[in-house]
Amino acid sequence: MDSSGLYLDVTDFAHSTPAWVQSAFEFWTEYGLLVFGALFIAVWWRARGARDPRTVALAVLAPFVTALAYVASELVKSSVDEERPCRAVAGAAASLIKCPATGDWSFPSNHATIAGAAAVALAIAARKLVLLTLPLALLMAYSRVFVGVHYPHDVAMGLLLGASLAALAVLALAGPATRVVAAVRTSGGRAAVLITGADPAR
């Protein structure tokens, strides 16, 4: 798969943008995933007040399935060994952030995988959030090409891998997780109440 031409188009465009735009993308690509972390916490905290244990289970599963997607991405990375475009593409402008060291392979993009998984998992847990999480995931994926550290096909596959694995994992684990949350709630312990919220039947 060769998307080096599109990579050059995006990185050339990046270098033509004002310095503040470049800085904004540099900041987002480095720290944007923290927004998804904050959303995980917010969705979980809000779910604790729900009567249905499935609501809590979906909120708890969101970061878990995102972590699973990251592990899958790392496994693919270690088997493909694709060099970063900031070293491999002749004539490319210098990357806006430091090019990762050799051995930190390019395909797929971990950032895009995590963003794709988080976007889907959060949208399943709180459907209205899709209007926020999907654009954030796409922006994260684009930023990795914009700053010069990934090919377009790296981020496209990362989004697809993360989103599909998250959806499948939630589908497979929602039932068991709901039963666990219901059982924990009925225990009535202080830790149980903190994690899952009080059992409405008590």
Side-chain angles (χ1 to χ4, degrees):
M1 188 179 301
D2 183 11
S3 60
S4 56
L6 184 55
Y7 169 81
L8 288 171
D9 290 340
V10 174
T11 52
D12 285 347
F13 168 72
H15 279 266
S16 73
T17 60
W20 68 267
V21 173
Q22 296 178 20
S23 296
F25 271 95
E26 290 167 24
F27 183 85
W28 173 252
T29 205
E30 293 284 2
Y31 302 108
L33 291 180
L34 295 177
V35 174
F36 290 104
L39 288 172
F40 287 144
I41 294 171
V43 168
W44 160 71
W45 189 259
R46 188 171 185 271
R48 292 169 67 254
R51 295 180 62 86
D52 185 0
R54 181 180 174 85
T55 302
V56 181
L58 293 177
V60 172
L61 281 174
F64 178 72
V65 301
T66 300
L68 289 180
Y70 167 73
V71 171
S73 178
E74 277 293 304
L75 291 174
V76 175
K77 256 185 196 291
S78 64
S79 63
V80 174
D81 295 356
E82 177 189 77
E83 188 57 275
R84 295 277 180 166
C86 37
R87 265 189 299 276
V89 177
S95 56
L96 297 180
I97 64 173
K98 184 179 178 181
C99 192
T102 299
D104 185 351
W105 305 113
S106 192
F107 180 88
S109 163
N110 282 341
H111 281 70
T113 301
I114 292 169
V120 168
L122 285 165
I124 293 173
R127 291 185 181 179
K128 291 181 180 178
L129 275 182
V130 70
L131 298 175
L132 174 63
T133 61
L134 181 57
L136 289 180
L138 292 173
L139 183 61
M140 175 55 69
Y142 179 74
S143 76
R144 302 303 289 169
V145 183
F146 187 95
V147 300
V149 295
H150 276 291
Y151 291 103
H153 67 263
D154 296 337
V155 299
M157 184 54 68
L159 286 173
L160 180 61
L161 177 65
S164 58
L165 283 181
L168 290 172
V170 170
L171 182 65
L173 298 174
T178 299
R179 290 190 289 273
V180 169
V181 169
V184 170
R185 274 186 164 185
T186 57
S187 71
R190 185 171 296 178
V193 171
L194 175 64
I195 296 170
T196 65
D199 181 3
R202 294 178 69 88

